Amino acid sequence: MSQLNKWIVRACFIVWITILYTYLKEPPFNFLVLNTFLAFIPIELSFHIDNTTPKNGLLFWVIVLVWLLFYPNTPYLLTDLFHLSLLTPYGPNGLLRLNDVMWLKFSLLLVSTLFSTIIGIWGLDRVSKAISYRLRLNHLWFKHAIVVLLTILTSIGIFIGRFLRIHTIYLFLTPELFIRPLMNMWSRPAIVFIGLLTIIQLVFFYTLKLIGSSHFMKDQQEPSEK
């Protein structure tokens, strides 16, 4: 992603968060303002991570660790889609209601979720490649293993945020509060949830990779076809 595109993404987030704050000041959807901002933090961090940036190895791993702590906030927005039920979308006749306010809130939630998730997955790909490069393990299988591992850790983070209600910032303020809930959270429903969220994220990831590789191959073929 070029520097220009990075600034476009930043500008889009600033404008979008302003729009969210304007239209979603009151409960129950005011949570989307903070959640969208938290989703942007790891995206911004991923802008500063690549194979050679930062040059200092220790600083690189520190930024990667901070990115990993905040990254679950991005796909976490996928679970916010359940709040659409608060819009009572179905009328007495069992059909979807045609209500402008309802569809506006639907649009705000969906745009935040899809835009943040897609850009966040771009960041996941960027970080995983940088980790492979720094470890000098550029085998294809290792790159995929890193993606899967990071995605599993992300799903665990989503579970912690959604069901244990422990936000990333608490890890810095009261890290001792993480230990006991983390040890006691493991159960069959928790494992199923983590597995399903991992699959969903990997579907997003490899779909975008497939689209990206197809576009690249098309660009490579076009000059020879002329």
Side-chain angles (χ1 to χ4, degrees):
M1 185 181 293
S2 67
Q3 289 297 326
L4 175 60
N5 287 340
K6 290 177 183 178
W7 281 109
I8 290 175
V9 170
R10 292 181 180 119
C12 286
F13 267 101
I14 292 173
V15 172
W16 188 249
I17 290 174
T18 302
I19 292 173
L20 293 178
Y21 180 76
T22 301
Y23 288 98
L24 299 176
K25 290 182 181 180
E26 303 296 330
F29 285 93
N30 56 332
F31 68 87
L32 191 58
V33 180
L34 176 60
N35 286 3
T36 303
F37 171 73
L38 292 175
F40 171 69
I41 293 177
I43 292 173
E44 176 62 38
L45 289 172
S46 69
F47 289 163
H48 305 278
I49 299 173
D50 61 26
N51 292 352
T52 57
T53 306
K55 293 182 179 179
N56 183 281
L58 178 59
L59 180 59
F60 169 81
W61 290 109
V62 169
I63 296 178
V64 167
L65 178 59
V66 176
W67 170 86
L68 181 59
L69 291 174
F70 279 95
Y71 179 66
N73 291 301
T74 303
Y76 179 90
L77 285 169
L78 292 170
T79 65
D80 280 337
L81 293 175
F82 278 102
H83 289 90
L84 292 173
S85 62
L86 298 174
L87 296 173
T88 56
Y90 293 99
N93 58 0
L95 301 177
L96 282 173
R97 295 189 299 117
L98 184 58
N99 180 281
D100 55 348
V101 175
M102 182 190 80
W103 285 103
L104 171 62
K105 292 181 178 179
F106 166 84
S107 301
L108 294 176
L109 183 52
L110 197 61
V111 169
S112 284
T113 300
L114 293 181
F115 183 71
S116 300
T117 300
I118 291 171
I119 302 298
I121 286 176
W122 171 88
L124 170 64
D125 185 44
R126 184 180 175 91
V127 171
S128 63
K129 288 179 178 177
I131 292 175
S132 298
Y133 181 85
R134 296 291 178 129
L135 294 177
R136 302 185 186 280
L137 294 170
N138 293 314
H139 303 291
L140 185 61
W141 67 267
F142 186 76
K143 293 179 180 178
H144 288 297
I146 289 179
V147 170
V148 172
L149 176 61
L150 292 176
T151 304
I152 292 173
L153 293 175
T154 298
S155 298
I156 294 174
I158 296 173
F159 179 89
I160 292 173
R162 173 55 66 191
F163 297 103
L164 302 186
R165 308 304 298 169
I166 299 177
H167 292 282
T168 306
I169 194 65
Y170 295 163
L171 181 60
F172 299 96
L173 300 177
T174 55
E176 66 277 3
L177 294 180
F178 265 72
I179 300 175
R180 188 180 297 276
L182 198 62
M183 295 296 293
N184 296 332
M185 75 178 202
W186 300 101
S187 63
R188 183 178 178 276
I191 294 173
V192 170
F193 174 88
I194 292 169
L196 291 175
L197 263 293
T198 298
I199 292 172
I200 291 172
Q201 292 178 78
L202 290 176
V203 168
F204 266 95
F205 180 85
Y206 286 108
T207 299
L208 292 175
K209 290 288 286 183
L210 180 63
I211 294 172
S213 62
S214 299
H215 179 71
F216 175 77
M217 292 177 65
K218 181 180 178 181
D219 289 343
Q220 293 292 99
Q221 292 171 357
E222 283 179 351
S224 61
E225 291 174 354
K226 293 179 181 180

